[in-house]
Amino acid sequence: MRRSGTPLRDSRGLLRTYAWLIIAVTLATVGAALALSALRPVSYTSTSQVVVKPEVTTGAPVAPDMGTERAIAMSGDVNKVAAAALNLSPDEAAAGLAVAVPVETSVLEISYTAHSPQSAYKGATVFTEAYVNYRNQNKKSPVAQMITPPDQPLAPSGTNYPIVIGLGLILGAILGVGAALAWDRVTDRLRGVQDTQAQTGMPVLASIPALRLGGPHQVVRLEGPQTPGAAAYGYLTAQLMHLIGDRSSSSVLVTSPSPGAGKTTTAVNLAVQLAGIGKDVVVVSADPRLSTVHEMFSVQRSPGLVEVLDGSASLERALHTSDVKGLRVLTSGTPQTLGEVYFNLEDMKVLLGRLAKIAEIVVVDASTVLAAAEVALVANQVDMVLLVVDGKRGLRADAAAAVEALRHVRSKVVGCVIN
């Protein structure tokens, strides 16, 4: 039964799954910031420096309060005089003015920004003179003195691109993660262990990491150092052995809702691990339409299951010995096309019975349950069923539909494997 409000992926899983989206949004944000910066109107800035001296009164000289001096330079009285000289309104004149106080100095930096170097120079000159005249009026000795006259700007004021890029990266990353969270909420993809359990109503027996296991064929190696992949399949094997209990023989069918979930990799590595703990194992490739089991063990595809079922080859001849001690392989045999019936249910039942007599555990790599109707029929002939789901691209609807397709053998479906 499906349940609403299922938890999202953990944060690391979210970042891995939607890394492409986060990167794309981040790069787009940085690009937009750079484009906006480039499209800004060209401007020029001219700057002068004015030193403010201690003011002499009846007593000792009083050090200037530079915060107050800055406010005076930007005041309405100074602006009114400068605006008249610039032939602008007070608001227009004040728009280009900036006054700064360098740290631990008695210096005002009066800057003026305009669309031409001449206007910037004139604005800085006029505002500097207006402030100096205002502060020195009615004073016995000058209080404000220009020490650096306004410069004639030769080039437009540059954009601080490192800051633009840095802010773009930060904002883009925030927007990217937000977009990933929003997409994760609306998409139908499975969202981790708890979501898989909620959608299927079955426990998750193991979560297999995305690893390279023993080269291109994805088979774990029993010799050498223990790898995370081997450890994950070892854990799945322990879970399965607990479910098998004291049975002298058992059969396990491995399937998935749709292609690409890694059911064959799971079936093969489960068989390898079972053989590694001393069990006599036969792995059966019951997916003649799309089989890679023969490649994973480097054996011939034919004769195999198809030939045994149609009577053109004996079981003894079709069983291939692998390089793993205690593990034999019944390959799929001649490739079949979709819709082609390659076995009789009674023949499959007899074959599984024969395999149960010569092996302690039979692992059946079946077709995907939503693409092949015979999977549900074969599932009725085995002891246990494992459903392998794709933890990155698997759909919730497919997982729920697969369980529904196996409802007649629900008691045999022991759990899910997130691959």
Side-chain angles (χ1 to χ4, degrees), residues 281-338:
V281 183
V282 170
V283 58
V284 180
S285 177
D287 188 3
R289 302 180 184 93
L290 186 63
S291 175
T292 58
V293 171
H294 61 288
E295 295 177 356
M296 298 173 80
F297 286 107
S298 299
V299 298
Q300 293 182 344
R301 180 164 183 165
S302 298
L305 177 64
V306 171
E307 286 72 26
V308 172
L309 292 176
D310 67 16
S312 61
S314 65
L315 177 59
E316 292 73 18
R317 181 183 167 212
L319 278 175
H320 301 271
T321 302
S322 74
D323 59 358
V324 178
K325 183 180 179 181
L327 176 58
R328 287 170 288 177
V329 183
L330 179 57
T331 60
S332 60
T334 304
Q336 305 293 294
T337 59
L338 187 63

Side-chain angles (χ1 to χ4, degrees), residues 52-55 60-66 69 106:
V52 184
K53 302 175 182 179
E55 189 171 351
V62 179
D65 182 340
M66 297 309 296
E69 296 300 327
S106 297

Side-chain angles (χ1 to χ4, degrees), residues 23 40 105 171 177 190 243 306 360 381:
I23 292 173
R40 288 178 57 190
T105 68
L171 179 59
V177 172
L190 289 168
L243 294 170
V306 171
E360 292 178 87
Q381 309 303 320

Side-chain angles (χ1 to χ4, degrees), residues 81-369:
V81 174
L86 294 172
N87 197 26
L88 297 173
S89 69
D91 289 341
E92 291 174 330
L97 177 66
V99 181
V101 180
V103 179
E104 297 182 356
T105 68
S106 297
V107 173
L108 290 179
E109 289 185 344
I110 301 177
S111 300
Y112 197 82
T113 300
H115 296 309
S116 70
Q118 295 80 11
S119 297
Y121 174 77
K122 183 177 180 180
T125 301
V126 167
F127 268 99
T128 301
E129 292 175 350
Y131 166 72
V132 170
N133 292 336
Y134 181 85
R135 286 297 284 121
N136 290 337
Q137 64 182 348
N138 302 322
K139 303 294 182 185
K140 293 182 179 180
S141 58
V143 175
Q145 180 181 352
M146 183 168 58
I147 56 175
T148 302
D151 57 318
Q152 184 77 39
L154 301 177
S157 304
T159 301
N160 194 329
Y161 285 105
I163 291 180
V164 171
I165 293 173
L167 292 176
L169 287 172
I170 295 172
L171 179 59
I174 294 173
L175 293 176
V177 172
L181 285 170
W183 181 256
D184 193 64
R185 285 187 178 275
V186 301
T187 187
D188 191 42
R189 289 180 179 176
L190 289 168
R191 297 171 172 86
V193 172
Q194 293 182 345
D195 191 28
T196 299
Q197 293 179 157
Q199 302 307 315
T200 62
M202 296 184 295
V204 172
L205 301 182
S207 182
I208 310 300
L211 297 171
R212 297 193 176 197
L213 308 172
H217 297 317
Q218 297 290 296
V219 180
V220 297
R221 299 303 179 191
L222 299 177
E223 71 278 0
Q226 181 81 326
T227 64
Y233 285 116
Y235 179 76
L236 175 60
T237 301
Q239 293 276 71
L240 191 65
M241 290 305 300
H242 174 73
L243 294 170
I244 291 175
D246 297 329
R247 298 179 191 173
S248 59
S249 66
S250 187
S251 54
V252 183
L253 182 141
V254 181
T255 185
S256 62
S258 54
K263 65 174 182 61
T264 299
T265 301
T266 299
V268 166
N269 285 294
L270 177 60
V272 170
Q273 290 288 327
L274 288 167
I277 62 174
K279 297 296 181 180
D280 187 10
V281 183
V282 170
V283 58
V284 180
S285 177
D287 188 3
R289 302 180 184 93
L290 186 63
S291 175
T292 58
V293 171
H294 61 288
E295 295 177 356
M296 298 173 80
F297 286 107
S298 299
V299 298
Q300 293 182 344
R301 180 164 183 165
S302 298
L305 177 64
V306 171
E307 286 72 26
V308 172
L309 292 176
D310 67 16
S312 61
S314 65
L315 177 59
E316 292 73 18
R317 181 183 167 212
L319 278 175
H320 301 271
T321 302
S322 74
D323 59 358
V324 178
K325 183 180 179 181
L327 176 58
R328 287 170 288 177
V329 183
L330 179 57
T331 60
S332 60
T334 304
Q336 305 293 294
T337 59
L338 187 63
E340 185 175 358
V341 178
Y342 70 93
F343 75 95
N344 177 279
L345 181 59
E346 189 61 31
D347 292 338
M348 178 64 79
K349 181 177 180 180
V350 171
L351 174 60
L352 291 174
R354 292 178 63 189
L355 290 173
K357 294 179 181 178
I358 64 175
E360 292 178 87
I361 301 178
V362 178
V363 178
V364 181
D365 173 36
S367 302
T368 55
V369 68

